[in-house]
Amino acid sequence: FLSIVAECCCGLFVILILSNFWFLAVLYLLWLYLDWETPCTGGRRSQWVRSWTVWKYFREYFPIHLVKTSDLSPNHNYLLGFHPHGVLVAGAFGNFCTGPSFTNLFPGLTPYLHIMPIWFGCPFFREYIMSAGMVSASKESVSYVLNNEGGGHASVIVIGGAEEALDAHPGSLTLNILKRKGFIKMALKHGAHLVPVFSFGENELFKQVANPKGSWLRNVQEKLQKIMGFALPLFHARGVFQYSFGLVPYRQPIHTVVGSPIPVKRNSNPTTEEIEQLHALYLQKLRKLFEEHKRNYGIPEHKSLIFE
């Protein structure tokens, strides 16, 4: 989805270069040079963009819901680990980049959705995603958000990343997390409380072409992911006026459940053992969150999360 919009924005930029308005493209390149670091310094959100009516219809289409299980004090900074990635990451976008749901449930907190830095190199597109509250997923960017002295900032990181999108099949409960420990280190360094978030229904929006690990398709996808930085899942869903085939996501409800915070004390130089201990605790809390809520959202009793 992001790649399609980004390609349209890049196409518009190319048209400007080739047209009589080439000077506008030159001016924008100058602006891009001067503004290059903004995605790493909190971005440039616009409440007007975040409140567009189209996002209300976007959320109602599935529909998308944000579920609160515990209070989050605005006196602290938080690092929210979002799971799973899915194909569209609809729950993360709908709940943290549009509408008033997060602010109403967690007053005093400002969410920042961290995405891959590559997207901020796309002309025009970068302005839109920053307006929605997205910032870079670089270490510098996460540090900037979590360094807020008075608290009140919430970094939202899709822990499984692009690699996890290749496992986004309906019914899949596989999370790419066992080797993902950078977010734990960042939480320790800044004393940011960790909050597990599980988005039920995220993997049900599309059907993906079978790509089991070891297959030729999966090998090609993984190689392309390493080269380009983002995954290319081959997916389909429904059409606009028919339900048999298309790229419009299925209308499946998404319930993004925000768990209880795990208190974290600031430790500017955490040891490997301390990182491992907190990582194990995070996995334990994430599994508990899933088990406590899976019955409410149609997950069979015998199904559990798989950590890889």
Side-chain angles (χ1 to χ4, degrees):
F1 176 74
L2 283 178
S3 61
I4 293 173
V5 180
E7 286 172 8
C8 292
C9 290
C10 290
L12 175 61
F13 183 72
V14 171
I15 291 172
L16 277 179
I17 293 176
L18 299 177
S19 71
N20 292 331
F21 299 98
W22 58 267
F23 61 92
L24 293 178
V26 173
L27 289 175
Y28 183 80
L29 286 176
L30 176 60
W31 162 256
L32 193 62
Y33 173 77
L34 297 173
D35 194 57
W36 190 254
E37 296 299 324
T38 300
C40 295
T41 54
R44 186 170 45 249
R45 71 179 55 221
S46 164
Q47 193 56 42
W48 175 66
V49 173
R50 290 168 61 87
S51 302
W52 280 352
T53 303
V54 67
W55 302 135
K56 175 178 178 289
Y57 294 129
F58 172 79
R59 293 190 303 274
E60 292 177 350
Y61 171 80
F62 298 98
I64 296 174
H65 304 280
L66 187 64
V67 181
K68 174 182 176 179
T69 64
S70 176
D71 289 331
L72 298 181
S73 169
N75 297 324
H76 300 291
N77 294 316
Y78 298 89
L79 195 159
L80 278 61
F82 183 92
H83 313 270
H85 184 286
V87 172
L88 191 60
V89 205
F93 178 76
N95 287 310
F96 303 118
C97 295
T98 75
S101 295
F102 186 86
T103 302
N104 290 343
L105 291 177
F106 304 102
L109 285 183
T110 302
Y112 295 82
L113 179 59
H114 296 269
I115 64 174
M116 294 172 56
I118 188 174
W119 297 117
F120 295 97
C122 298
F124 304 126
F125 180 66
R126 68 188 297 275
E127 318 304 333
Y128 156 68
I129 56 179
M130 279 197 288
S131 295
M134 298 185 213
V135 292
S136 172
S138 67
K139 292 180 181 179
E140 296 78 13
S141 177
V142 177
S143 292
Y144 184 91
V145 173
L146 297 181
N147 258 338
N148 193 44
E149 295 242 344
H153 280 189
S155 279
V156 183
I157 302 178
V158 184
I159 305 299
E163 189 175 347
E164 193 173 88
L166 299 178
D167 287 319
H169 296 272
S172 174
L173 295 172
T174 299
L175 301 182
N176 188 334
I177 192 172
L178 292 182
K179 295 181 180 179
R180 306 267 176 161
K181 299 173 184 176
F183 74 104
I184 298 290
K185 189 174 182 179
M186 293 299 291
L188 282 166
K189 281 190 171 184
H190 298 284
H193 295 192
L194 280 167
V195 182
V197 177
F198 195 88
S199 196
F200 291 90
E202 199 74 44
N203 284 340
E204 320 307 317
L205 306 185
F206 297 93
K207 292 179 180 178
Q208 192 173 164
V209 175
N211 60 341
K213 291 186 177 179
S215 65
W216 69 269
L217 176 58
R218 185 59 169 257
N219 290 336
V220 170
Q221 288 175 321
E222 289 176 348
K223 288 179 181 177
L224 288 175
Q225 190 262 325
K226 289 179 181 179
I227 294 171
M228 298 184 297
F230 55 88
L232 290 173
L234 298 179
F235 59 89
H236 65 88
R238 52 163 289 186
V240 177
F241 301 111
Q242 45 79 29
Y243 294 87
S244 57
F245 189 83
L247 295 179
V248 178
Y250 293 116
R251 297 191 71 176
Q252 296 289 339
I254 297 171
H255 293 86
T256 302
V257 183
V258 181
S260 301
I262 304 170
V264 178
K265 291 184 178 180
R266 186 187 294 269
N267 182 349
S268 58
N269 191 26
T271 65
T272 301
E273 183 180 359
E274 289 169 332
I275 293 172
E276 292 286 352
Q277 287 178 349
L278 185 55
H279 187 260
L281 177 60
Y282 179 85
L283 294 183
Q284 177 186 331
K285 295 295 185 180
L286 174 59
R287 189 180 294 279
K288 181 182 178 182
L289 178 70
F290 174 81
E291 293 295 331
E292 287 178 347
H293 293 273
K294 67 180 184 182
R295 299 170 193 83
N296 300 332
Y297 307 117
I299 306 294
E301 185 66 31
H302 67 279
K303 290 252 188 173
S304 295
L305 293 179
I306 300 171
F307 296 146
E308 290 188 349

